[in-house]
DNA sequence: CTGGGTGCAAAGTATTTGCATGAAC
DNA sequence: GTTCATGCAAATACTTTGCACCCAG
């Protein structure tokens, strides 16, 4: 039993070939739009349906196997669930990078000011990646 | 010439009655979905078209008169442009609160780690508002 | 076996576009 | 007067659903 099979089962998901490939694609590419994922999946399953992609993305989100990342001015991308992290995106080439930042201070302060009980912080930083700065 | 007229013109937008009402609605309600905005607009303009809403929302975003706020698991909301701020959202009742947080340290650190030139930080904190915590 | 996943087609929802008319400046 | 906004209808894009068949466990 391979890794992805185990990972899927831990999230109460049957390990079908299609799902294994979604897991693999997201693992290799880091962040993918639905569109891009469909494109990649078509190479392995020439008759896969977009409906299958959507159904799987949805159930995988429900079961916390993957996460949706909403990005300003761009389509959402999806990534395998992992340790909490933030995202840096390039507004020119759309590159996306994961970044570990300690937001506990900020979150705590926000909690005091707003009187909310906060349990999640989604931060997306936008700018220019190293390459695009040079152009 | 009223305030909204001036504000619209500063953003190179003609001040039509429909646009003035969009500005007013967003100003009064703080954050609105397309759907909610359409609903409110219908009360003042019984034959307004959804297309008009979309066209205006889009051009207002292009001209930085308003901003889109993308929220995890929810529809996007729109707000008048103002000083940079973060958002706290209640996962139970969907309330949204603006909050001023200093993210300069975080942004600077992110910049060093990622080698990106960062010019924007979008932070959405999710949790329970004061009321929903008590239920 | 049995429950649930797949692909297909169709339906549903969301958003954009083209065009004739009308209003802002 | 000229430019651009509006409303309507149609087109396009995006996402979900129903169903017959098939596969993972």
């Amino acid at each position: 039993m391979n890794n992805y099979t185990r990972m899927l089962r831990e999230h109460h998901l049957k390990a079908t070939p299609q799902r294994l490939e979604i897991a693999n694609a997201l693992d290799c590419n880091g962040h993918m739009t639905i569109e891009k994922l469909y494109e990649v999946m078509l190479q392995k399953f020439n008759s896969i349906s977009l409906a299958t992609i959507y159904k799987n993305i949805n159930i995988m989100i429900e079961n916390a196997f993957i996460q949706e990342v909403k990005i300003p001015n761009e389509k959402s991308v999806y990534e395998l669930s992992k340790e909490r992290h933030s995202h840096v995106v390039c507004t020119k080439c759309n590159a996306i990078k994961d970044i570990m930042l300690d937001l506990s201070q900020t979150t705590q302060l926000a909690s005091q000011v707003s009187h909310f009980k906060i349990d999640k912080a989604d931060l997306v930083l936008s700018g220019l990646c190293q390459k695009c700065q040079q152009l």
Side-chain angles (χ1 to χ4, degrees), chain A residues 7 9 18 22 29 39 64 68 74 79 93 118 121:
Chain A
M7 288 165 61
R9 295 215 184 135
Q18 289 85 344
I22 290 177
N29 292 277
E39 199 178 287
E68 178 177 4
E74 288 179 44
E79 65 182 7
C93 72
I118 296 172

Side-chain angles (χ1 to χ4, degrees), chain A residues 38-124:
Chain A
Y38 181 48
E39 199 178 287
V40 168
M41 294 293 289
L42 269 177
Q43 320 217 331
K44 298 257 179 161
F45 306 89
N46 52 31
S47 69
I48 194 173
S49 163
L50 241 190
T52 300
I53 306 279
Y54 277 109
K55 286 174 192 168
N56 279 324
I57 288 293
N58 287 336
I59 197 173
M60 284 172 166
I61 290 175
E62 281 168 29
N63 293 17
F65 179 68
I66 67 174
Q67 308 280 149
E68 178 177 4
V69 184
K70 293 191 174 187
I71 298 171
N73 314 314
E74 288 179 44
K75 291 183 185 163
S76 287
V77 295
Y78 301 86
E79 65 182 7
L80 294 184
S81 294
K82 48 199 162 192
E83 213 179 342
R84 282 280 163 73
H85 59 276
S86 301
H87 294 95
V88 193
V89 309
C90 178
T91 52
K92 192 162 183 189
C93 72
N94 290 1
I96 303 177
K97 209 179 214 178
D98 288 347
I99 184 174
M100 295 303 309
L101 292 170
D102 180 7
L103 298 175
S104 58
Q105 295 292 109
T106 302
T107 301
Q108 196 189 323
L109 181 57
S111 194
Q112 287 167 14
V113 175
S114 67
H115 303 294
F116 273 56
K117 183 176 173 307
I118 296 172
D119 49 40
K120 193 160 71 85
D122 291 292
L123 175 62
V124 179

